[in-house]
Amino acid sequence: MAMEDEDNNTTGIATNSRTSIKKGGDLGDNGACIDRQPDTVIHQAGLNQTAGRGSRSGPGVHAATGIRVLKQRNMKWNGSRGCVTRKTRFGSRERDWLKGDTQRGCVCLYGGTVDPQPSAPGSQASSMPQTDLQLVLCSTSTTVEELCAQRDGKGLYVQLHGDLVRRLEPSERPLQMVYDYLTAMGYAEPVRVQQEAANSDLSCLIRFYSEPPVNADQQERTLLTGVFNVRKGKTQLHKWAERQVILCGTCLIVASVKDSLTGKMHILPLVGGKVEEVKRRQHCLMFSSAGSQAQAYFVSFDTLADYQRWHRQASKVVSQTVSLVDLSCYSLEAVPEYLFYSQDITHLNLRHNFMRLKEPGGLLNLPRFSQLKSLNLSHNHLGVFPECVCEILTLTELNLSCNNLHTVPVQICNLQSLQTLSLDGNHLSSLPEELGGLAQLNSLGLSFNNFSHIPAVLERLSAVDKLAMAGNRVETLELCTLARMSHLKTIDLRLNGLRQVKSESLEAVSQVTQLDLRDNCLDSLDLSAICNLEALYCQRNQLGTLTLSGFTLRMLHASSNRLTTVNIYPVPNQLTHMELSQNLLEYLPDWVCDCRKIEMLDVTHNQLSELPLRLLTNLSLRKLLAGNNHLQRVPDLLDHVPLEVLDLQHNKLAELPESLFYKALNLKYLNLSANALESIPPSSQSEESLSTLQELYLTGNNLNENCGALLVGHQNLRVLHIAYNQLLSFPASKLTKLELLEELNLSGNKLKTIPSTVSSCKRLHTLIAHSNHITVFPEILNLPEIKLVDLSCNELTEIQLPDSLPATLQELDLTGNSSLILEPKTLNLFSHITTLKLDQKSTTTAADSTSASTPWAHGYSEMSGQRNKLCVSVLAVDQFGDGVEACYGIFDGDRNEEVPRLLQCTMGDVLCEELQHSSIDNVYMCNTFLTSHRKLGMAGQKLGASALLCYIHHEPSDPGGYFSLTVANVGTCQAVLCRNSQPVPLSKVYSLENCTEEMERVKCCKAIITEDNKVSGVTCCSRLLGCSYLSPWVLPKPWVHTEPLCPQDEFLILGNRALFERVSYQEAVCTVQAVRDPRAAAKKLCSLAQSYGCKDNIGAVVVSLHIGEDSCTCEPPVTTTEPRGPPPTPLPVSVTPGPTEPATLSSSSGIASEFNSETSASEVGSEAGSTASDEHPSSGPASRPERRCSLHPATTLCGIMVPGPAVAGTHPGLFQRQPSSATFSSNQSDNGLDSDDEAPLEGVISNGSKLEVEVDIHCCAFQLRSGVPASPKDLSHEKRGSDYPNGKMHRQNSVVVSATNGCLLAVCGREIADLKKSPSTSSLFGKKLSNGSVVAPEDSHNLIEVALEAPKKKSGYFTAPAQQDPEDQLIVPPCLEQEVREQLRGQTLLVSGPSALSAPPSLKDPIWDHPHPPAFASHLVPGPGPAPILQQEVYDTAL
């Protein structure tokens, strides 16, 4: 769980120190001082005024070595967060001493408990001083020795990422360690480093202890000891006696004298023995050794806890087959002394510790194990090779990886029995000649060192058959060197920066059978001299030519190169697997068709125009991947072929061979997506089909409903994707024959219904049919295994439900169905569904929608694929902050869902806070990521996620100028901007395969990169939020890029790795351009990725952009030449084009409401009725003051920016006037009924407990302006009735203006219950957040709560001040608009301040235009209330 600071402004550490201090309180000398002031506390805000308001600034310091210890008192532990709650403040002397120099700060010293427990609720703080936490004020030059001298302590310990605890050396400097850690993370400014160092949340990343922390579980597994009643032998000859009993390693040790270890010790080996319960005596165990001469001891324990603890640990020992002791990851500096009694130990694992040489039980004592064969000392930070290990002559296996070793001593030759030596991850550049004397050594690991050539000593190590030198610095490989090492069969030289392979002599290299040259810099490769080569791996080079010997070649992997041809001689008759994807092949070499044993051929992402007939008739080929080429036809099959997998997606196929299915009877997987097919071949020549096809992907073709009859022959079909074709219907009778169908995707067609015969598919668990014209909910809720149903972006009107729903149903998506009305009974029936996505029913009027309009709108989609959980989350806020800004993000946790959810909920808040501190894009974005990384707390120690954040804003230097888009990312999430119909990548992919500089950085940090290119086998990313235990290999510092937006920018696409691995940038742009609705476009991107073969979680966000010529954000575009529809709002508009008529925009809202099963619909309704709001005031689509850029400022009234008219879809020729004052509406009641006619409002469902699916409340700060009071005239509002569903109109939201402390606030007049929701949070309030839900940033400043004149609830209704009669509205015909403009322009001379009339230029909207030209009404627009527009006197109580 993320560690969140409960008080953004203070970090208080109470003290109770009462010792003397020098007169005057001088703290700048080298002497350590303790303040006499009682109960003084750090107060971070105010220590550094340059940090900005609200920052968690740490103590500013001067360069000095003074130390002050402040003992902790009055601290409240939060056990789940591992931090404290500050309640008091720092004293003035501490503040004065800390100010002004970044080389001073504070170090938190924790006690010996690993996980402090929270105090009981309501308990009072103890009056006795507690020692769990101390705050030490010091400088970066203060050493551990000085701190211990001040505190009378024995030492200090440091813990990184909640992992191992290391004892600090006396010369180490704790505060400097913290500063270095933060700098390595990515913090650049010294002041910010100082602030972060004082943050308590940092304890999850780096923490100091004043004494070794106690871990009971670790102690149990390391050593058990106690005084118990013991009896020796199975007979009754011996009596019970109290003895010291020890369980350590593989033995049970019993002292001969009570409470003393000076006498004789009885050793009982337990490996292979028994531990049994003695039923005749309570809490008694019998321990016996193995063998015919087995001995036994009976031990009677005092408590059940002791009995269980000893029984559990002893059972592990006796179950072992070898004498193995595993003490890895215990933060040990020495092994327990009792362990040396276990002389039968053969395998000792001390990995991930801090073993020292001279400690009792240290490395110098390891030769005492007389039978030790295997010793693992990897990751112990040794620094030097421990020569004492060379005295353990029985060793056969020694692991010293990752120990910062620079040399290997000559004493290594003493280990004549050594067979395996691992020296990976060190700084070795040479090996001693004496190493060649180890005749039995058969495995030598030298990967990730600093070797520039292959060590010559390997020529003498004749038993070594594998050269493991990945990640070194070998730039040239000479084959003659390999020829001299005739014993080497396997060569691993990946990640070496290898530039050439020399073959100067004609001597053949006959012994090498496997060669790994991946991820190097080779541009050509001739390995014909390696005549017995069986497997070659050369992916991700720059190869243009490749020449090999084919005598024994079995496997060839050469993807991601620049190959135009591959030369192999002779024909490789033993070749079974060949991978040549992502190259430049225009044709397949002839020898490929002659390979007799080839089973798998991958030639995807090339430039092939045809496939040879001989290839398809090959009797050994089982798997052919030829997608993403230029194939126009597939040759006819003349005979039966054993082909099982055929992938031909992304080609130019217009037809398939007629004999495909009845000649390829073994075909189980066929992918033909993204072609130009108009039909598919029949499954057989007769009525009886022998097809074994199980997965068929036909997405993105030109198929019609006739193909349905041809599909029924594939009765074994389990997965069918036929999305985005031209289907008008699906034959009902044919669907009944697909009884084994499990997954069906019919999205993006023109279906009006799904046949009721779908109920015969009893195994169906996934039905995806979004973006159709379906009006009737299909009969699928009675299927026993149904899990996911996606019917979004359709035309559903009602749902007929059975009496009960299947318990397997986990996700139901009904968004984008504008006419769908769900009764409360239906919602209650859906309450158990884990993820229920519904539209919020907008009550927004014409005035509201324009008032809340922004130059962008978004839609998003997430699909879990074949994974059982969704690990992708989305952040989307169309109205971010106080201005015209937006924030979008996507977070991919790969295998975990916790970190993406935490980032989704907190990252917007963090960005808001960082924007207060800095206006430099690289600074605030970088700090946002680093702070979010810290806030992940303990969840971020072992788990991580890729993150992408996009922030649309004006440049601070030019608030009225162009918009800019600032993008920051870590990991593999990407952002693509469409500009002039071309993709513009904005992010950087931080994966080891794609980023060479990151690969070099990780290699320099001596990380072990596994063969699948993952850091320590965990992640392929070098930058992530979280996974802090992989630091410094994996960092949270993001890539930051700012792109100025222009009118040619059409939309923005955000996606995770799975999306862009399957869908190219260009295809993604073309896909979105073809779909009018951002949400439908995002849905299509995800569906395409699935149909292209993606099995992982997929997430996509599409943001439509409407940036005008001058970035004007005032009013919607007004033009007389190009009619436009309503500009995009925070609620994306879905598109439901008819089959024979032009597409029309539906008025459905676009943000999904996700309900979880924990709360019923009525419970949500009761929570939604609350009047409190914690959401950001600008996060909802609310009635806002009319936006005015610097080119089109609004008029002012009494120094208050007056909100202008808000009209959705402003019509050409319609002139509008400013209203004379802000208005406030009070005609809505708590039960969702109009106070006059009690008619139910749209989007509100009431059954005694209101459930609101849509709410929007908005608090907008009015700008204070100076000027003469003016009374601008009202403007008329009109809207063509056909632009609204059912021709209904809603009145403009009213606004009450009040003032508090000189700050004028605008509070919307909607119900206070609506405060709970916003377009980005939808109906999530009161429900547990579901995966992928969209969450807006929370804001701690609630403008509603501080507004003195905000309306109060009274008897279920709002009470508003007295309202004047509305003035007449002015409707201006198009022919008179210019004349009226000229007349009113003259009147504006009487009004001081900026002009009230300014014609905003048209916003560029090439794709998202309204399809119909607007019409004009010649009458006043009716409203739902008694008055279309109400006026209200403005009250200024503060002035």
Side-chain angles (χ1 to χ4, degrees), residues 379 382-385 399-408 422-429 445-451 471-472 1003-1006 1008:
H379 296 88
L382 297 177
V384 294
F385 195 108
N399 190 339
L400 288 169
S401 301
C402 302
N403 274 295
N404 299 323
L405 306 181
H406 290 78
T407 59
V408 177
S422 299
L423 298 172
D424 306 296
N426 287 291
H427 298 273
L428 301 175
S429 57
L446 300 174
S447 299
F448 300 99
N449 279 279
N450 298 334
F451 291 99
N472 280 276
K1003 283 173 54 181
C1004 290
C1005 293
K1006 297 305 173 183
I1008 300 298

mmCIF file of all heavy atoms in Angstrom, residues 379 382-385 399-408 422-429 445-451 471-472 1003-1006 1008:
data_model
loop_
_atom_site.group_PDB
_atom_site.id
_atom_site.type_symbol
_atom_site.label_atom_id
_atom_site.label_comp_id
_atom_site.label_asym_id
_atom_site.label_seq_id
_atom_site.Cartn_x
_atom_site.Cartn_y
_atom_site.Cartn_z
ATOM 1 N N HIS A 379 26.556 -12.186 -3.920
ATOM 2 C CA HIS A 379 25.868 -10.996 -3.413
ATOM 3 C C HIS A 379 26.176 -10.748 -1.931
ATOM 4 O O HIS A 379 25.287 -10.547 -1.114
ATOM 5 C CB HIS A 379 24.347 -11.112 -3.605
ATOM 6 C CG HIS A 379 23.920 -11.167 -5.029
ATOM 7 N ND1 HIS A 379 23.841 -12.348 -5.720
ATOM 8 C CD2 HIS A 379 23.554 -10.197 -5.890
ATOM 9 C CE1 HIS A 379 23.436 -12.105 -6.965
ATOM 10 N NE2 HIS A 379 23.254 -10.808 -7.093
ATOM 11 N N LEU A 382 31.671 -8.453 -0.954
ATOM 12 C CA LEU A 382 32.959 -8.760 -0.345
ATOM 13 C C LEU A 382 34.046 -7.767 -0.751
ATOM 14 O O LEU A 382 34.862 -7.367 0.067
ATOM 15 C CB LEU A 382 33.382 -10.186 -0.718
ATOM 16 C CG LEU A 382 32.459 -11.307 -0.207
ATOM 17 C CD1 LEU A 382 32.945 -12.660 -0.695
ATOM 18 C CD2 LEU A 382 32.375 -11.290 1.303
ATOM 19 N N GLY A 383 34.100 -7.394 -1.996
ATOM 20 C CA GLY A 383 35.128 -6.464 -2.458
ATOM 21 C C GLY A 383 36.420 -7.146 -2.850
ATOM 22 O O GLY A 383 37.083 -6.717 -3.798
ATOM 23 N N VAL A 384 36.803 -8.180 -2.138
ATOM 24 C CA VAL A 384 38.012 -8.940 -2.457
ATOM 25 C C VAL A 384 37.686 -10.429 -2.380
ATOM 26 O O VAL A 384 36.769 -10.852 -1.678
ATOM 27 C CB VAL A 384 39.172 -8.612 -1.476
ATOM 28 C CG1 VAL A 384 39.620 -7.173 -1.641
ATOM 29 C CG2 VAL A 384 38.748 -8.873 -0.039
ATOM 30 N N PHE A 385 38.458 -11.185 -3.109
ATOM 31 C CA PHE A 385 38.270 -12.638 -3.109
ATOM 32 C C PHE A 385 38.725 -13.191 -1.761
ATOM 33 O O PHE A 385 39.871 -12.998 -1.354
ATOM 34 C CB PHE A 385 39.100 -13.253 -4.245
ATOM 35 C CG PHE A 385 38.732 -14.666 -4.568
ATOM 36 C CD1 PHE A 385 38.061 -14.981 -5.728
ATOM 37 C CD2 PHE A 385 39.085 -15.711 -3.709
ATOM 38 C CE1 PHE A 385 37.722 -16.290 -6.026
ATOM 39 C CE2 PHE A 385 38.764 -17.013 -3.999
ATOM 40 C CZ PHE A 385 38.077 -17.307 -5.168
ATOM 41 N N ASN A 399 30.436 -20.351 -5.578
ATOM 42 C CA ASN A 399 29.743 -19.241 -6.241
ATOM 43 C C ASN A 399 30.122 -17.935 -5.544
ATOM 44 O O ASN A 399 29.774 -17.713 -4.384
ATOM 45 C CB ASN A 399 28.223 -19.446 -6.181
ATOM 46 C CG ASN A 399 27.474 -18.462 -7.062
ATOM 47 O OD1 ASN A 399 27.982 -17.403 -7.421
ATOM 48 N ND2 ASN A 399 26.246 -18.814 -7.419
ATOM 49 N N LEU A 400 30.829 -17.070 -6.259
ATOM 50 C CA LEU A 400 31.238 -15.758 -5.752
ATOM 51 C C LEU A 400 30.733 -14.651 -6.667
ATOM 52 O O LEU A 400 31.375 -13.605 -6.798
ATOM 53 C CB LEU A 400 32.768 -15.700 -5.633
ATOM 54 C CG LEU A 400 33.374 -16.536 -4.495
ATOM 55 C CD1 LEU A 400 34.878 -16.625 -4.648
ATOM 56 C CD2 LEU A 400 33.007 -15.949 -3.151
ATOM 57 N N SER A 401 29.579 -14.836 -7.262
ATOM 58 C CA SER A 401 29.030 -13.842 -8.188
ATOM 59 C C SER A 401 28.624 -12.576 -7.450
ATOM 60 O O SER A 401 28.257 -12.602 -6.271
ATOM 61 C CB SER A 401 27.807 -14.421 -8.911
ATOM 62 O OG SER A 401 28.147 -15.591 -9.630
ATOM 63 N N CYS A 402 28.725 -11.451 -8.157
ATOM 64 C CA CYS A 402 28.220 -10.160 -7.682
ATOM 65 C C CYS A 402 28.820 -9.788 -6.328
ATOM 66 O O CYS A 402 28.107 -9.558 -5.342
ATOM 67 C CB CYS A 402 26.690 -10.170 -7.603
ATOM 68 S SG CYS A 402 25.886 -10.528 -9.168
ATOM 69 N N ASN A 403 30.155 -9.733 -6.269
ATOM 70 C CA ASN A 403 30.847 -9.375 -5.039
ATOM 71 C C ASN A 403 31.876 -8.268 -5.252
ATOM 72 O O ASN A 403 32.722 -8.055 -4.388
ATOM 73 C CB ASN A 403 31.528 -10.604 -4.436
ATOM 74 C CG ASN A 403 30.602 -11.414 -3.557
ATOM 75 O OD1 ASN A 403 30.154 -10.952 -2.511
ATOM 76 N ND2 ASN A 403 30.285 -12.620 -3.992
ATOM 77 N N ASN A 404 31.809 -7.594 -6.397
ATOM 78 C CA ASN A 404 32.744 -6.496 -6.695
ATOM 79 C C ASN A 404 34.198 -6.966 -6.664
ATOM 80 O O ASN A 404 35.103 -6.226 -6.254
ATOM 81 C CB ASN A 404 32.557 -5.333 -5.702
ATOM 82 C CG ASN A 404 31.177 -4.736 -5.771
ATOM 83 O OD1 ASN A 404 30.579 -4.631 -6.844
ATOM 84 N ND2 ASN A 404 30.629 -4.348 -4.622
ATOM 85 N N LEU A 405 34.421 -8.169 -7.109
ATOM 86 C CA LEU A 405 35.780 -8.703 -7.149
ATOM 87 C C LEU A 405 36.530 -8.153 -8.350
ATOM 88 O O LEU A 405 35.968 -8.026 -9.442
ATOM 89 C CB LEU A 405 35.760 -10.232 -7.223
ATOM 90 C CG LEU A 405 34.957 -10.965 -6.130
ATOM 91 C CD1 LEU A 405 35.042 -12.466 -6.322
ATOM 92 C CD2 LEU A 405 35.443 -10.575 -4.738
ATOM 93 N N HIS A 406 37.826 -7.855 -8.139
ATOM 94 C CA HIS A 406 38.663 -7.343 -9.216
ATOM 95 C C HIS A 406 39.748 -8.332 -9.629
ATOM 96 O O HIS A 406 40.245 -8.260 -10.750
ATOM 97 C CB HIS A 406 39.303 -6.010 -8.808
ATOM 98 C CG HIS A 406 38.324 -4.884 -8.709
ATOM 99 N ND1 HIS A 406 37.486 -4.720 -7.635
ATOM 100 C CD2 HIS A 406 38.022 -3.870 -9.571
ATOM 101 C CE1 HIS A 406 36.725 -3.653 -7.814
ATOM 102 N NE2 HIS A 406 37.032 -3.113 -8.973
ATOM 103 N N THR A 407 40.127 -9.206 -8.724
ATOM 104 C CA THR A 407 41.164 -10.188 -9.032
ATOM 105 C C THR A 407 40.801 -11.524 -8.404
ATOM 106 O O THR A 407 39.989 -11.601 -7.475
ATOM 107 C CB THR A 407 42.534 -9.738 -8.491
ATOM 108 O OG1 THR A 407 42.439 -9.570 -7.062
ATOM 109 C CG2 THR A 407 42.991 -8.437 -9.145
ATOM 110 N N VAL A 408 41.422 -12.560 -8.926
ATOM 111 C CA VAL A 408 41.294 -13.911 -8.375
ATOM 112 C C VAL A 408 42.674 -14.326 -7.886
ATOM 113 O O VAL A 408 43.654 -14.259 -8.650
ATOM 114 C CB VAL A 408 40.776 -14.896 -9.440
ATOM 115 C CG1 VAL A 408 40.708 -16.313 -8.874
ATOM 116 C CG2 VAL A 408 39.402 -14.462 -9.929
ATOM 117 N N SER A 422 31.612 -19.925 -10.257
ATOM 118 C CA SER A 422 30.792 -18.830 -10.782
ATOM 119 C C SER A 422 31.378 -17.506 -10.313
ATOM 120 O O SER A 422 31.416 -17.230 -9.112
ATOM 121 C CB SER A 422 29.343 -18.963 -10.299
ATOM 122 O OG SER A 422 28.775 -20.173 -10.740
ATOM 123 N N LEU A 423 31.814 -16.702 -11.268
ATOM 124 C CA LEU A 423 32.395 -15.389 -10.983
ATOM 125 C C LEU A 423 31.657 -14.299 -11.742
ATOM 126 O O LEU A 423 32.220 -13.247 -12.041
ATOM 127 C CB LEU A 423 33.882 -15.384 -11.366
ATOM 128 C CG LEU A 423 34.775 -16.367 -10.591
ATOM 129 C CD1 LEU A 423 36.172 -16.415 -11.203
ATOM 130 C CD2 LEU A 423 34.844 -15.997 -9.123
ATOM 131 N N ASP A 424 30.398 -14.497 -12.032
ATOM 132 C CA ASP A 424 29.619 -13.538 -12.819
ATOM 133 C C ASP A 424 29.388 -12.255 -12.019
ATOM 134 O O ASP A 424 29.365 -12.254 -10.784
ATOM 135 C CB ASP A 424 28.274 -14.154 -13.204
ATOM 136 C CG ASP A 424 28.425 -15.481 -13.905
ATOM 137 O OD1 ASP A 424 28.983 -15.509 -15.001
ATOM 138 O OD2 ASP A 424 27.982 -16.503 -13.337
ATOM 139 N N GLY A 425 29.183 -11.164 -12.740
ATOM 140 C CA GLY A 425 28.790 -9.914 -12.115
ATOM 141 C C GLY A 425 29.859 -9.284 -11.261
ATOM 142 O O GLY A 425 29.545 -8.656 -10.252
ATOM 143 N N ASN A 426 31.121 -9.406 -11.641
ATOM 144 C CA ASN A 426 32.208 -8.768 -10.917
ATOM 145 C C ASN A 426 32.932 -7.789 -11.834
ATOM 146 O O ASN A 426 32.393 -7.392 -12.883
ATOM 147 C CB ASN A 426 33.162 -9.836 -10.369
ATOM 148 C CG ASN A 426 32.561 -10.589 -9.186
ATOM 149 O OD1 ASN A 426 32.393 -10.032 -8.110
ATOM 150 N ND2 ASN A 426 32.221 -11.865 -9.379
ATOM 151 N N HIS A 427 34.140 -7.409 -11.447
ATOM 152 C CA HIS A 427 34.924 -6.460 -12.245
ATOM 153 C C HIS A 427 36.215 -7.103 -12.732
ATOM 154 O O HIS A 427 37.238 -6.435 -12.885
ATOM 155 C CB HIS A 427 35.248 -5.223 -11.407
ATOM 156 C CG HIS A 427 34.051 -4.458 -10.956
ATOM 157 N ND1 HIS A 427 33.458 -3.477 -11.723
ATOM 158 C CD2 HIS A 427 33.310 -4.542 -9.828
ATOM 159 C CE1 HIS A 427 32.411 -2.980 -11.082
ATOM 160 N NE2 HIS A 427 32.298 -3.615 -9.934
ATOM 161 N N LEU A 428 36.165 -8.373 -13.005
ATOM 162 C CA LEU A 428 37.360 -9.092 -13.434
ATOM 163 C C LEU A 428 37.712 -8.753 -14.874
ATOM 164 O O LEU A 428 36.831 -8.659 -15.737
ATOM 165 C CB LEU A 428 37.135 -10.597 -13.305
ATOM 166 C CG LEU A 428 36.794 -11.122 -11.898
ATOM 167 C CD1 LEU A 428 36.470 -12.601 -11.952
ATOM 168 C CD2 LEU A 428 37.934 -10.851 -10.942
ATOM 169 N N SER A 429 39.000 -8.581 -15.107
ATOM 170 C CA SER A 429 39.490 -8.361 -16.471
ATOM 171 C C SER A 429 40.546 -9.381 -16.861
ATOM 172 O O SER A 429 40.984 -9.404 -18.016
ATOM 173 C CB SER A 429 40.061 -6.948 -16.613
ATOM 174 O OG SER A 429 41.105 -6.727 -15.668
ATOM 175 N N GLY A 445 31.826 -19.522 -14.919
ATOM 176 C CA GLY A 445 30.961 -18.390 -15.248
ATOM 177 C C GLY A 445 31.709 -17.082 -15.166
ATOM 178 O O GLY A 445 32.157 -16.677 -14.082
ATOM 179 N N LEU A 446 31.834 -16.402 -16.287
ATOM 180 C CA LEU A 446 32.552 -15.124 -16.358
ATOM 181 C C LEU A 446 31.672 -14.016 -16.932
ATOM 182 O O LEU A 446 32.186 -12.978 -17.357
ATOM 183 C CB LEU A 446 33.811 -15.277 -17.217
ATOM 184 C CG LEU A 446 34.841 -16.307 -16.745
ATOM 185 C CD1 LEU A 446 35.970 -16.446 -17.766
ATOM 186 C CD2 LEU A 446 35.396 -15.918 -15.380
ATOM 187 N N SER A 447 30.385 -14.203 -16.930
ATOM 188 C CA SER A 447 29.485 -13.218 -17.539
ATOM 189 C C SER A 447 29.478 -11.920 -16.745
ATOM 190 O O SER A 447 29.678 -11.918 -15.527
ATOM 191 C CB SER A 447 28.066 -13.777 -17.630
ATOM 192 O OG SER A 447 28.040 -14.930 -18.442
ATOM 193 N N PHE A 448 29.258 -10.822 -17.453
ATOM 194 C CA PHE A 448 29.099 -9.489 -16.872
ATOM 195 C C PHE A 448 30.305 -9.107 -16.009
ATOM 196 O O PHE A 448 30.190 -8.732 -14.858
ATOM 197 C CB PHE A 448 27.783 -9.403 -16.089
ATOM 198 C CG PHE A 448 26.584 -9.657 -16.953
ATOM 199 C CD1 PHE A 448 25.979 -10.901 -16.963
ATOM 200 C CD2 PHE A 448 26.104 -8.669 -17.784
ATOM 201 C CE1 PHE A 448 24.902 -11.155 -17.789
ATOM 202 C CE2 PHE A 448 25.018 -8.910 -18.618
ATOM 203 C CZ PHE A 448 24.416 -10.154 -18.618
ATOM 204 N N ASN A 449 31.467 -9.250 -16.630
ATOM 205 C CA ASN A 449 32.716 -8.745 -16.082
ATOM 206 C C ASN A 449 33.286 -7.736 -17.064
ATOM 207 O O ASN A 449 32.542 -7.157 -17.872
ATOM 208 C CB ASN A 449 33.682 -9.900 -15.805
ATOM 209 C CG ASN A 449 33.370 -10.607 -14.489
ATOM 210 O OD1 ASN A 449 33.745 -10.148 -13.420
ATOM 211 N ND2 ASN A 449 32.666 -11.740 -14.569
ATOM 212 N N ASN A 450 34.592 -7.520 -17.003
ATOM 213 C CA ASN A 450 35.217 -6.502 -17.852
ATOM 214 C C ASN A 450 36.260 -7.097 -18.791
ATOM 215 O O ASN A 450 37.221 -6.418 -19.165
ATOM 216 C CB ASN A 450 35.873 -5.426 -16.978
ATOM 217 C CG ASN A 450 34.868 -4.697 -16.108
ATOM 218 O OD1 ASN A 450 33.690 -4.616 -16.444
ATOM 219 N ND2 ASN A 450 35.321 -4.176 -14.983
ATOM 220 N N PHE A 451 36.087 -8.332 -19.201
ATOM 221 C CA PHE A 451 37.045 -8.964 -20.106
ATOM 222 C C PHE A 451 36.932 -8.354 -21.500
ATOM 223 O O PHE A 451 35.831 -8.210 -22.035
ATOM 224 C CB PHE A 451 36.795 -10.467 -20.189
ATOM 225 C CG PHE A 451 37.124 -11.207 -18.916
ATOM 226 C CD1 PHE A 451 36.123 -11.557 -18.019
ATOM 227 C CD2 PHE A 451 38.426 -11.559 -18.622
ATOM 228 C CE1 PHE A 451 36.411 -12.230 -16.853
ATOM 229 C CE2 PHE A 451 38.729 -12.241 -17.448
ATOM 230 C CZ PHE A 451 37.729 -12.571 -16.557
ATOM 231 N N GLY A 471 27.873 -10.156 -21.643
ATOM 232 C CA GLY A 471 27.960 -8.893 -20.928
ATOM 233 C C GLY A 471 29.354 -8.431 -20.623
ATOM 234 O O GLY A 471 29.558 -7.665 -19.678
ATOM 235 N N ASN A 472 30.338 -8.838 -21.391
ATOM 236 C CA ASN A 472 31.695 -8.341 -21.228
ATOM 237 C C ASN A 472 31.995 -7.296 -22.299
ATOM 238 O O ASN A 472 31.067 -6.655 -22.822
ATOM 239 C CB ASN A 472 32.690 -9.509 -21.283
ATOM 240 C CG ASN A 472 32.767 -10.249 -19.961
ATOM 241 O OD1 ASN A 472 33.492 -9.861 -19.058
ATOM 242 N ND2 ASN A 472 31.996 -11.333 -19.831
ATOM 243 N N LYS A 1003 24.418 -2.737 -17.477
ATOM 244 C CA LYS A 1003 25.612 -3.584 -17.475
ATOM 245 C C LYS A 1003 26.708 -2.999 -16.592
ATOM 246 O O LYS A 1003 27.381 -3.726 -15.852
ATOM 247 C CB LYS A 1003 26.134 -3.757 -18.899
ATOM 248 C CG LYS A 1003 25.356 -4.740 -19.745
ATOM 249 C CD LYS A 1003 25.824 -4.727 -21.196
ATOM 250 C CE LYS A 1003 27.308 -4.948 -21.313
ATOM 251 N NZ LYS A 1003 27.773 -4.923 -22.705
ATOM 252 N N CYS A 1004 26.864 -1.676 -16.642
ATOM 253 C CA CYS A 1004 27.893 -1.040 -15.815
ATOM 254 C C CYS A 1004 27.582 -1.185 -14.330
ATOM 255 O O CYS A 1004 28.502 -1.174 -13.497
ATOM 256 C CB CYS A 1004 28.018 0.438 -16.185
ATOM 257 S SG CYS A 1004 28.758 0.721 -17.810
ATOM 258 N N CYS A 1005 26.306 -1.299 -13.992
ATOM 259 C CA CYS A 1005 25.925 -1.508 -12.591
ATOM 260 C C CYS A 1005 26.035 -2.964 -12.177
ATOM 261 O O CYS A 1005 25.687 -3.314 -11.038
ATOM 262 C CB CYS A 1005 24.490 -1.016 -12.363
ATOM 263 S SG CYS A 1005 24.286 0.761 -12.533
ATOM 264 N N LYS A 1006 26.511 -3.807 -13.087
ATOM 265 C CA LYS A 1006 26.763 -5.218 -12.814
ATOM 266 C C LYS A 1006 25.497 -5.989 -12.459
ATOM 267 O O LYS A 1006 25.481 -6.825 -11.549
ATOM 268 C CB LYS A 1006 27.815 -5.379 -11.708
ATOM 269 C CG LYS A 1006 29.176 -4.829 -12.086
ATOM 270 C CD LYS A 1006 29.663 -5.455 -13.390
ATOM 271 C CE LYS A 1006 30.930 -4.810 -13.904
ATOM 272 N NZ LYS A 1006 31.357 -5.375 -15.206
ATOM 273 N N ILE A 1008 22.751 -8.797 -13.466
ATOM 274 C CA ILE A 1008 22.721 -10.032 -14.237
ATOM 275 C C ILE A 1008 21.507 -9.977 -15.162
ATOM 276 O O ILE A 1008 20.363 -9.900 -14.697
ATOM 277 C CB ILE A 1008 22.657 -11.264 -13.323
ATOM 278 C CG1 ILE A 1008 23.884 -11.304 -12.416
ATOM 279 C CG2 ILE A 1008 22.541 -12.529 -14.142
ATOM 280 C CD1 ILE A 1008 25.197 -11.431 -13.156
#
